Amino acid sequence: MPSRTIIVGGVAGGASCAARLRRLDEQAEIVIYERGHYVSFANCGLPYHVGGIIAEEAQLLVATPKLLNDRFRIAVKVRHEVVSIDRAAQTVTVRDLESGREAIDHYDHLVLSPGANAIIPAIPGVDLPGVFIMRTVPDARTVRAWIDSRQATRALVVGGGFIGLEMAENLRHRGLAVTLVEKADQVMPPLDPEMAAPVRARLEERGVVVMLGDAATSIRSEAGALRVGTERGAEVVTDLVVLAIGVRPETTLAKQAGLELGPRGGFKVDAQMHTSDPRILAVGDAVEVVDLATGTPALIPLAGPANRQGRLAADIITGRKGAFRGVQGTAVCGVFDLTVAMTGASEKSLKRAGAAAAGIVFLHPSQHVGYYPGAKPIHLKLLYRKADGRVLGAQAVGEEGVERRIDVIATAMRLGATVEDLADLELCYAPQYGAAKDPVNLAGMVAVNDRNGDAPALPWSAADDPAFTVLDVREPGEWASGHHDRAIHIPLHLVRDRLSEIPRDKPLAVYCAGGQRSYYAVRLLRQDGFDARNLSGGWQSARHRAGAIASGKQARTEASG
């Protein structure tokens, strides 16, 4: 008798599991129950549909029930919700959301892919017309209709993460005045603050009003507009509100069935995606995973891991071997022609996990050689384990070539690479694509120099420490445009001739514009007996740090005021 697998939820994990299962077992009975209107859609594209970049709603539909049935003989029932599980009987109770009728269905294997729900704050007025979330195709349709019917000119986005930033950009693309409110003291909270500073700057350059360290506390309707009160006492008048605060795993079924949850509140699964019941597997946003960089449990709602988990679950059901090795959180976001990408640990996440001090370097290489027209900088931060040089994470911001470099580092991390490996990678080079020393190679080289003591890297906080003497080796024009107020100024080409002017009683914190000339200076000085170290990333990193500090101070001052 053929095995019967019931899959609860479609989209990425569930639909991937079903299609893979059919490819492995032509005789299996496969049923997907999806409580929404669509079984498989591109929820990452929803903000771009609101903005009109993706013009037609149909372009968001990855697979329809008809396609899955015709191509794979998978029975798909949308608007059907699994409301309970009888683990002893291996049955589920399914409610038809259109008729209200319920039925019982039997399974040999059950795959739970319920996804995550948008976090909706418990504040007055949150259920008013004109307040939206962005999780499904109907959500995007409703927002578009609201903007069109009301001829909306103002929007408030609550939350400065991926969806919040994408919504802010797309609402501006439609010509609306946009205000963004974020509880943290930076946008894009997964980034470290100094890497988020240029993102905030780009938002403000493109007309988005950014309010940090604040949160919506009330919403009321008055004279055809919505008035949103905030924690620090401001009021924003707007035509619509988009809540993009984040998501939490949908675990209603798990709790009802007595399945074990993990410390972060998601499904606890083993490496084969089994829950605490061996007949029940779980995949997708509701599953707790292992953070590869820190080894700690994590909730990382990304489409890539969900697809891989769905594929693995099908393998396990059909008796194949395999294991899910964890998630490193590789992600990318576009913000007004700026690309923001990351993989692995951030400095913040390492501190939260109580990890040993990591090596951290900054650099600002161009995405291709400077002599080829159109070279643009990539602001890159690399973290590595000092004990063995293993790469722990990276973050990058820039207009071109960002995602390629983060993808390379993500791949290297998955294979256990060290910073020495990054320095030694052989990558594509032609003038319009990169350089003989690619930004990834350079990141590895800077980290190797830090690790072996050739040019120890300092964070910019060291420049404010009176235990260090600060040395600026830029040219006079650069110095005149801005410099650290404690710095001694000696251009690089004069350092050898003016060694007597440099104090030897303290370690030196040396900087230039981006880190390369200061590296040359550090090598020269260390060979002359100075304890010289490189302020990582140069004056460009100092400016990003200053922006991050200013954002934090503004958020804290306004919150306390």
Side-chain angles (χ1 to χ4, degrees):
M1 189 170 180
S3 172
R4 182 173 179 82
T5 297
I6 292 175
I7 300 173
V8 180
V11 192
S16 293
C17 178
R20 172 70 171 172
L21 188 55
R22 173 58 73 225
R23 293 194 296 272
L24 297 179
D25 186 350
E26 183 61 25
Q27 303 305 314
E29 296 178 0
I30 308 169
V31 181
I32 299 177
Y33 289 114
E34 167 57 54
R35 66 183 176 184
H37 292 81
Y38 303 98
V39 65
S40 184
F41 63 93
N43 50 8
C44 296
L46 297 177
Y48 301 95
H49 183 46
V50 171
I53 305 299
I54 298 174
E56 300 298 328
E57 185 178 284
Q59 294 174 277
L60 297 170
L61 305 182
V62 178
T64 64
K66 184 178 187 306
L67 182 147
L68 290 172
N69 182 65
D70 290 351
R71 184 172 294 175
F72 299 112
R73 291 297 185 265
I74 295 169
V76 179
K77 299 188 178 182
V78 296
R79 301 294 292 152
H80 281 68
E81 181 177 12
V82 174
V83 294
S84 66
I85 302 170
D86 185 332
R87 291 165 53 189
Q90 291 183 214
T91 62
V92 296
T93 300
V94 185
R95 180 179 299 144
D96 183 330
L97 297 179
E98 301 296 337
S99 68
R101 290 191 295 270
E102 293 187 353
I104 294 176
D105 199 355
H106 173 269
Y107 65 84
D108 296 302
H109 297 279
L110 179 63
V111 179
L112 302 180
S113 180
N117 296 324
I119 296 173
I120 301 175
I123 61 175
V126 75
D127 55 350
L128 285 171
V131 181
F132 305 98
I133 60 172
M134 191 57 51
R135 291 292 293 167
T136 67
V137 174
D139 292 335
R141 183 189 309 148
T142 305
V143 172
R144 284 168 58 97
W146 181 271
I147 293 171
D148 293 340
S149 65
R150 301 299 179 103
Q151 296 185 322
T153 60
R154 302 162 295 184
L156 173 66
V157 177
V158 182
F162 289 92
I163 298 298
L165 296 188
E166 290 170 349
M167 283 303 303
E169 177 181 11
N170 280 281
L171 290 166
R172 284 294 293 144
H173 183 74
R174 291 200 58 162
L176 279 72
V178 176
T179 299
L180 186 145
V181 177
E182 166 56 50
K183 177 71 171 176
D185 58 6
Q186 65 173 84
V187 295
M188 194 61 82
L191 288 177
D192 288 321
E194 71 281 357
M195 299 302 292
V199 183
R200 177 192 178 173
R202 179 59 61 93
L203 288 165
E204 293 177 333
E205 286 171 8
R206 299 300 177 90
V208 177
V209 176
V210 180
M211 298 169 60
L212 299 177
D214 208 351
T217 56
S218 65
I219 307 172
R220 60 190 176 90
S221 180
E222 183 180 303
L226 295 172
R227 293 181 175 271
V228 182
T230 75
E231 205 170 62
R232 67 180 189 224
E235 184 175 72
V236 180
V237 182
T238 185
D239 299 313
L240 70 149
V241 176
V242 178
L243 301 174
I245 298 172
V247 297
R248 60 169 57 97
E250 169 53 85
T251 57
T252 304
L253 271 177
K255 293 174 182 176
Q256 176 272 330
L259 297 175
E260 188 175 354
L261 301 181
R264 298 297 303 276
F267 290 94
K268 185 175 182 179
V269 296
D270 64 15
Q272 287 70 44
M273 310 313 299
H274 291 117
T275 66
S276 51
D277 184 324
R279 288 286 180 180
I280 303 176
L281 296 85
V283 300
D285 293 353
V287 169
E288 258 182 41
V289 297
V290 174
D291 183 323
L292 281 178
T294 65
T296 58
L299 292 168
I300 304 179
L302 294 171
N307 274 286
R308 297 199 306 277
Q309 290 165 2
R311 178 183 175 88
L312 173 61
D315 285 357
I316 299 304
I317 288 170
T318 54
R320 296 193 174 200
K321 296 185 183 298
F324 190 73
R325 294 188 289 163
V327 174
Q328 60 202 73
T330 306
V332 65
C333 180
V335 186
F336 294 109
D337 302 320
L338 200 64
T339 300
V340 184
M342 64 200 75
T343 188
S346 65
E347 192 174 353
K348 292 188 298 186
S349 69
L350 289 176
K351 288 178 180 177
R352 284 196 302 267
I360 301 171
V361 296
F362 296 87
L363 60 159
H364 310 277
S366 296
Q367 97 280 15
H368 61 57
V369 291
Y371 64 80
Y372 189 87
K376 296 178 180 179
I378 296 174
H379 308 295
L380 179 58
K381 179 177 185 177
L382 182 73
L383 299 96
Y384 71 94
R385 194 160 58 200
K386 287 188 174 181
D388 58 7
R390 185 162 180 168
V391 180
L392 297 176
Q395 302 164 45
V397 180
E399 292 189 357
E400 292 186 18
V402 170
E403 70 287 353
R404 172 189 153 195
R405 273 61 187 212
I406 291 297
D407 277 343
V408 170
I409 295 172
T411 303
M413 283 180 60
R414 179 64 63 155
L415 300 175
T418 65
V419 292
E420 287 83 2
D421 294 322
L422 294 189
D424 196 42
L425 287 178
E426 184 174 336
L427 303 174
C428 288
Y429 163 55
Q432 67 270 45
Y433 297 112
K437 294 178 182 177
D438 188 85
V440 174
N441 298 131
L442 289 175
M445 292 172 185
V446 173
V448 169
N449 287 334
D450 174 45
R451 184 165 179 251
N452 67 18
D454 282 345
L458 286 175
W460 261 91
S461 57
D464 301 327
D465 186 343
F468 288 89
T469 296
V470 182
L471 175 63
D472 184 328
V473 298
R474 296 175 299 159
E475 293 301 305
E478 296 172 285
W479 166 269
S481 68
H483 57 267
H484 193 276
D485 57 11
R486 293 182 53 244
I488 299 169
H489 178 226
I490 304 177
L492 174 63
H493 68 280
L494 297 177
V495 169
R496 287 185 180 85
D497 300 324
R498 295 171 60 180
L499 291 174
S500 62
E501 300 176 31
I502 304 172
R504 292 178 180 267
D505 60 333
K506 296 179 182 179
L508 293 176
V510 187
Y511 74 91
C512 63
Q516 186 176 49
R517 284 173 291 170
S518 55
Y519 163 59
Y520 300 152
V522 165
R523 291 302 307 139
L524 183 164
L525 291 162
R526 290 182 74 84
Q527 292 178 73
D528 200 69
F530 288 89
D531 181 5
R533 310 176 197 184
N534 203 346
L535 283 166
S536 194
W539 191 242
Q540 289 192 66
S541 288
R543 292 170 59 194
H544 291 169
R545 175 177 178 265
I549 291 172
S551 294
K553 285 182 177 177
Q554 178 189 359
R556 288 188 290 273
T557 299
E558 292 173 340
S560 62

